[in-house]
Amino acid sequence: MRATPGMGLDEHPTQIAELADGPVEYRFDRRGPDTVVVFHGGHMRAGLSLGEEVFADAGCSVLVPSRPGYGRTPVSTGGSAGGFADVTAALCSQLGIASVAAVVGVSAGGPTAVAMAARYPALVDRMILQSAVGPLPWPDRRTRMAARVAFTARTEPLLWAVVRTLMRHAPEVGLRMLLRDLTVLPSRKAVSGLGAEDRARLIALFSRMRSGHGFLRDLKALETTAELTRHAGQVSQPSLVIATCQDGAVPFAHARALVAALRQTELIESWAGGHFIWFGQDWPTIADRIRDFLLADLYLMPRGEL
């Protein structure tokens, strides 16, 4: 069965776990005995899903925590990527998860996935990084300055209210506006390359996104690459790094840097027209490779060709 982009139109129910380091919001979709832990990127929380159906197709349960500042997880829970990796390991223990088939890091969630794989090799079997931030400065200065204006406590709710209005009344304009910074292609071309179903799913996703205090926290936490560089050098598990050269949000150079830093990894280059690799025409093929990676016995993978 080939996976389609996992993005439900409705928000999924979540729970709160009270842990020693603070409360954390999470969603735990129980299926089989193997569990995949997913750290989503900016503007996402545990109640939203993106690209998760490939894990369901592999028969895996999926645990999705809201990273600090997103959803109902306070900024104070976990702090750094390493700190929140510790929180997530404690959450796994509380839920009775003794083994994680794969930890998945998406976009700005990548550093937390790398930290968890590095700090908990006995718990985490594999790692999958999708459009993930690597050990390079991120984001660029222009994006950082704009974000500090757009995502303050006062302006963030207004910004997303405007986005919801656009998605309801002028979705094509809204998609071009939001995809402009997520692709190196002209935004009109990026939108025209989407099928009707993909457009509908993106509109639904953008209509439900919120940044809370999380995105500004991400920018501050990722100002230095020292922690991520250290953790990447400590990861011993087999890894997949999936990215596209058309990504305007996290440049492809981040994928190259991750492959150079990790010991056992394969680079999969997506043909997608931007940051959302789940909407590329080759996503079904990539999903098959992810599923094979999850279901295969652990083995030493050769370093991917760049």
Side-chain angles (χ1 to χ4, degrees):
M1 177 180 179
R2 289 182 176 271
T4 55
M7 193 179 304
L9 300 183
D10 297 318
E11 187 149 353
H12 305 285
T14 62
Q15 297 176 275
I16 299 291
E18 297 292 343
L19 303 171
D21 289 328
V24 59
E25 180 186 38
Y26 71 95
R27 166 169 51 91
F28 189 23
D29 296 335
R30 298 176 185 265
R31 295 184 185 89
D34 295 330
T35 298
V36 171
V37 175
V38 178
F39 295 108
H40 283 307
H43 320 298
M44 295 283 290
R45 56 191 179 276
L48 302 178
S49 61
L50 177 64
E52 295 175 19
E53 286 171 339
V54 61
F55 310 125
D57 284 353
C60 295
S61 298
V62 177
L63 173 63
V64 187
S66 292
R67 294 189 299 109
Y70 293 106
R72 294 184 288 165
T73 300
V75 172
S76 58
T77 298
S80 66
F84 195 66
D86 295 342
V87 168
T88 306
L91 176 62
C92 287
S93 178
Q94 181 169 300
L95 294 173
I97 301 170
S99 178
V100 171
V103 63
V104 180
V106 180
S107 192
T112 308
V114 173
M116 189 168 177
R119 294 161 85 104
Y120 297 94
L123 175 65
V124 177
D125 291 339
R126 306 166 180 81
M127 181 170 68
I128 302 171
L129 300 175
Q130 301 175 331
S131 301
V133 172
L136 296 174
W138 181 90
D140 59 50
R141 183 172 178 271
R142 180 184 66 83
T143 302
R144 190 180 296 277
M145 292 179 62
R148 286 173 176 163
V149 174
F151 297 107
T152 67
R154 177 174 294 182
T155 57
E156 184 268 350
L158 296 174
L159 184 148
W160 287 109
V162 170
V163 169
R164 289 193 295 273
T165 299
L166 280 172
M167 291 303 163
R168 187 179 303 115
H169 300 292
E172 290 293 313
V173 174
L175 285 176
R176 290 200 299 271
M177 180 185 76
L178 292 173
L179 291 180
R180 182 176 55 201
D181 293 328
L182 300 177
T183 177
V184 299
L185 301 173
S187 60
R188 190 179 297 274
K189 182 176 181 179
V191 172
S192 66
L194 296 170
E197 182 179 356
D198 289 346
R199 291 189 191 202
R201 293 185 177 191
L202 267 179
I203 289 168
L205 181 67
F206 285 139
S207 297
R208 287 165 173 78
M209 280 182 165
R210 287 294 300 270
S211 309
H213 300 289
F215 193 62
L216 287 182
R217 177 259 177 198
D218 283 346
L219 297 185
K220 183 177 180 180
L222 294 170
E223 282 181 345
T224 174
T225 62
E227 184 186 38
L228 178 53
T229 300
R230 182 176 69 255
H231 283 143
Q234 295 169 347
V235 173
S236 58
Q237 300 92 323
S239 305
L240 290 182
V241 175
I242 307 167
T244 172
C245 288
Q246 309 297 337
D247 195 335
V250 180
F252 192 70
H254 284 257
R256 292 184 181 274
L258 284 165
V259 170
L262 296 169
R263 300 182 195 175
Q264 302 179 59
T265 187
E266 177 185 357
L267 175 62
I268 299 177
E269 184 176 344
S270 165
W271 301 340
H275 190 61
F276 291 113
I277 57 172
W278 309 272
F279 300 108
Q281 293 183 356
D282 60 342
W283 174 248
T285 300
I286 293 174
D288 285 343
R289 295 182 71 178
I290 292 172
R291 201 159 38 249
D292 290 344
F293 179 68
L294 286 171
L295 297 176
D297 291 335
L298 293 179
Y299 60 94
L300 294 180
M301 295 172 53
R303 185 174 299 276
E305 294 296 329
L306 296 185

